[in-house]
Each structure stands twice: as C-alpha cells, then as structure tokens.
Amino acid sequence: MPNLFIAPCVLALFGASGDLALRKLIPALYRLESARLLHADTRILALAREEGMDAEAHFALIETRLQEHLASEEWAPDVWERFRGRLAFLSFDFSQADAYRTLSDLAAGDLPLVAYFATPASVYGAICQHLVDAGLGDRTRVVLEKPIGHDLESSRLINDAVACCFPESRIYRIDHYLGKETVQNLIALRFANSLFETQWNQNHISHVEITVAEKVGIEGRWGYFDQAGQLRDMVQNHLLQLLCLIAMDPPSDLVADSIRDEKVKVLKALEPISSEQLAARVVRGQYSAGYSNGKAVPGYLEEAKANRASTTETFVALRVDIRNWRWAGVPFYLRTGKRMPQKLSQIIVHFKEPPHYLFAPEQRPLLSNRLIIRLQPDEGITLHVMTKDQGLGKGMRLRTVPLLLNFSETFHTERVPDAYERLLLEVMQGNQNLFVRRDEVEHAWKWCDQLSAGWEQLGDAPRAYPAGSWGPGAAVALIARDGRSWYDDL
C-alpha cells in the first residue's frame, strides 16, 4: 500500500559503490524501507563506475555491506527483498553523455529525480550539465555532499557551475549534523521554551563549548584528509553550523530561508582572528603515537601512505567571538580532533552565577548551571541544577543534580534515527530546512580562510599530542587564560 505521506521519486545515487554510499546512504535507505517510509513508487538507481561489475554483483556487494553496518536485529530477509525490488544498477561513466541518456530512459516518467552526488565535489558541475543536456534538468533536485571546495575561491567555482544548471531552490547541500535529532531539537528547545530563550544572551550565559571528538584516525583517507585537515573537514561545516544554531536570533517562521537568514547573520558577525591573535585564540595539533581502546596506535605521520613531512592538523581548538548585541563578551570555545579518548559531540551552555551568593563560601565553586546537549553517542539533553543535599544534619549543603532527557528512553524508541535517514526523507519531500544555502557555505569559508592564511604566513606547525588524549596542552591553556576549563576537565 503506498505511503500517502511521503512523495514518490526516483533517487539516482552517483558513486553507489563508494564508502559513503555503502556505509551511510544505502543503510539509511534500507532503514526507511524497513519503517515503510518510502513510497511504493520510489525507485533507487545505483550508479557506479565499476569495470566488470554487473547488477547481481553489485546487489551482492550491497547485501554484504548492509549486514556489516546494520545491527543484527535490523536485518530482515523480507525487508531486503522489498528493498532490492526498488534497486536498479547502471555501470556509469560520469563523463560520458551516453550514460546520461541511459539514465534518462531508466528514470522515464514524471516523478522528481533526486540526484545524490556521493562523488568528489570537482565533478559536481560536469554531472549537472550532463543531467540538463539529457533533458532531466526541469525535474531534478541535486544533493551536494560537503566539503564544497577547499577554500572560498574553489567553493565559488563549484557553486557557480551547479548554479548554471539548477536554481538554488533545487540545490540541497548536505551537512549531516543538521539531520541529527538533537540538532533539530535545538530549534524547539530554544524557541518553544521561554525558560531558555529569555536567558539566551550575554546577560545570563558566561560561555559556550562545542566539542566534536573522534576516536578514529584517518581510516585510510590519507589522500583526501591531508589536503583538507581538521579545519576544512570539520570546523568550516559541522562546528560552524552548530554555532549558528546555538547563536542565531529567532527566525520569523520555520520556512527554510527564514532559518538560513538568521544563520548567515551569525556567520557575518564572527569576529575575524588576525595572524597576531592566532597564538592566543587558536590551537592546531597533530596526533602522535599513543593508545586507543588499550591498544597502541600509530601517529598521523606513521599512518599508511603518510607524507612524513606533513603539517596538516588533526586537531583544532578556537575561541570564537560574535560581534552583536546578543553575544557581546560571550566566548564560544570550539574544538575538534581525531584520536580523542572517546567519540563525542556535545554543546555545553554555561550560565552565569547569581549576582549575590547566599551560601557557604566553600561551596561557591560548585555553583554552575549547565545545559548539556549531546549529539552523539547517546542523543539527549541534560540540565545541571543546584539543589540542597537531602538528610538531617546536612544544613544547606548544595549538590549538583542533572535533569536528564534521553531521547530513546523518553520517547520509548529502540533507536534514534540516523541523520541521513531524515535528510534523505526531506530531500524526497522537497524540504530545504535542513540543508545549507550557498551564502552560508561561502561566509564559513571566508572566515576559515583567514585562519589558514595566518598559519601559512606565520609558518605555524601543529603541536603534537598523543593519540588517546584530548589534544595539545595548549588547548587547555587557551580556555584557562579566561579562567575556565573544558567540561571534561571539570
């Protein structure tokens, strides 16, 4: 029976045999199938340039990788049979016009075509032009994976090439963090609760931390990562998007461009960091040999195919300031790195202390209301409040108590949906709320490019930190200069 709430489409997955497609996109589509959230008429075209691979071989590869990446209880033969029935495979050379004519035949009809580019950004423009030349331009939505370029200039060239073929209303730039349940809840948390929104400014908040930590190293992505580094790979997109959602003013409504307009205002208000300020405001690091999960792991320069002279950073910590009325004087501390002690993404909002302290002086260091927003591994929200310790004879002794909202427990769900599941559904529906507009991408690149230029001007090399640690000691000093510490150090 057709799902009456989800519109049908043809999804063409370019790069269907690549790591992103097999590890993230196809499992997300399978889970949507399992939840019966795909319309009965939706079809999936797997496009890959694989010499000697036919449809049956590709379906076998997909089945194998699904069983690797899904939890054992998620795999069901009947779901796989339904899902496989939607699939078609096409050995596809992205540079050949004939391939797109075959694609046009496979996608015949009047359903929207969603063209998902799990490919290098350098070919986005060429693929778009071929789609238009094949007569598919009028009904196609294109989905672009990050990073779009490696700096502002290259980003503009790629966006220009795509814009020559498609209007902004049919371009969907992915930042998968925007599809996470907790990130979506930031909008509801802030703007549906006067308890928070009335306090969400420099009068009541002392500082904000945003941490995105990865336990893994480069996972065989040396060629890509060494050209990018943590600043381009993580800060320019994920961390700045989280910063925008935390710091933006209320939009006039929940229409996509209203939300994006407010995010752009934040990016425009980011205070530049000059080369003279880099030492005090930014720390870059590179992991050396150490331990992860109790096992010895190599340093970045010792990884397979490594360039032993590389000065690419695998860790960045920054103090970011926003020049507007709401956030004047409130620092945002951002950090992200590889080979950290744990996989962790969280935002911590530290509220100011009351102006007059009534309790015993020795308890004052305890006083710290904190709102902790966890994106992974267990999505949820915790508010730390101060209460009186229970029991006779304890007087007015204080203690910190967490008020906890764990999404899976509160909403009685076995699993929080993956970000890609939500994003794929949204693009199938033609909703752009969770996607990034061109001017957001370019303002983020402009701000990050100044840091790269400053490092190059100063010849700044990354500081070593042992794998399994929270980064260089200089990252601790960065926040300690302001009389504060990272949350995990409290």
Side-chain angles (χ1 to χ4, degrees), residues 164-202:
C164 285
C165 302
F166 296 100
E168 185 69 26
S169 61
R170 286 194 278 124
I171 300 172
Y172 294 72
R173 296 176 187 83
I174 286 268
D175 185 324
H176 74 267
Y177 268 55
L178 298 184
K180 291 182 178 291
E181 192 74 33
T182 317
V183 174
Q184 289 306 293
N185 255 303
L186 281 174
I187 301 290
L189 181 75
R190 286 194 53 192
F191 304 128
N193 296 284
S194 59
L195 169 67
F196 291 117
E197 184 53 27
T198 56
Q199 311 293 304
W200 213 259
N201 54 55
Q202 48 86 19

Side-chain angles (χ1 to χ4, degrees), residues 6 24-38 70 74 116 174 176 179-181 379 415-429 434-435:
I6 304 298
K24 289 291 186 181
L25 301 178
I26 291 175
L29 289 165
Y30 173 93
R31 289 174 176 132
L32 293 176
E33 178 70 66
S34 180
R36 296 189 180 274
L37 288 174
L38 298 179
L70 297 172
E74 291 183 287
Y116 198 116
I174 286 268
H176 74 267
K180 291 182 178 291
E181 192 74 33
E379 297 191 44
R415 185 182 65 85
V416 176
D418 179 77
Y420 277 105
E421 295 170 51
R422 181 182 301 278
L423 294 170
L424 286 163
L425 271 184
E426 292 295 312
V427 73
M428 289 178 189
Q429 294 297 92
L434 308 186
F435 299 86

Side-chain angles (χ1 to χ4, degrees), residues 171-286:
I171 300 172
Y172 294 72
R173 296 176 187 83
I174 286 268
D175 185 324
H176 74 267
Y177 268 55
L178 298 184
K180 291 182 178 291
E181 192 74 33
T182 317
V183 174
Q184 289 306 293
N185 255 303
L186 281 174
I187 301 290
L189 181 75
R190 286 194 53 192
F191 304 128
N193 296 284
S194 59
L195 169 67
F196 291 117
E197 184 53 27
T198 56
Q199 311 293 304
W200 213 259
N201 54 55
Q202 48 86 19
N203 292 321
H204 303 285
I205 292 175
S206 69
H207 63 290
V208 178
E209 295 178 49
I210 301 176
T211 294
V212 177
E214 303 170 274
K215 284 189 74 171
V216 297
I218 58 171
E219 295 187 294
R221 297 165 68 223
W222 176 272
Y224 160 74
F225 186 84
D226 199 54
Q227 295 299 314
Q230 202 73 355
L231 178 71
R232 294 184 175 102
D233 192 45
M234 295 295 290
V235 176
Q236 185 273 334
N237 40 78
H238 298 331
L239 273 77
L240 288 185
Q241 281 293 317
L242 294 177
L243 172 65
C244 286
L245 288 169
I246 284 290
M248 73 182 194
D249 284 337
S252 57
D253 52 42
L254 294 179
V255 173
D257 276 338
S258 298
I259 296 172
R260 291 158 155 185
D261 288 344
E262 297 304 329
K263 290 197 290 179
V264 167
K265 289 178 185 177
V266 174
L267 292 169
K268 287 182 175 180
L270 295 180
E271 184 175 291
I273 299 177
S274 67
S275 56
E276 292 77 20
Q277 296 171 310
L278 275 176
R281 300 274 294 276
V282 184
V283 174
R284 63 198 299 247
Q286 187 185 87

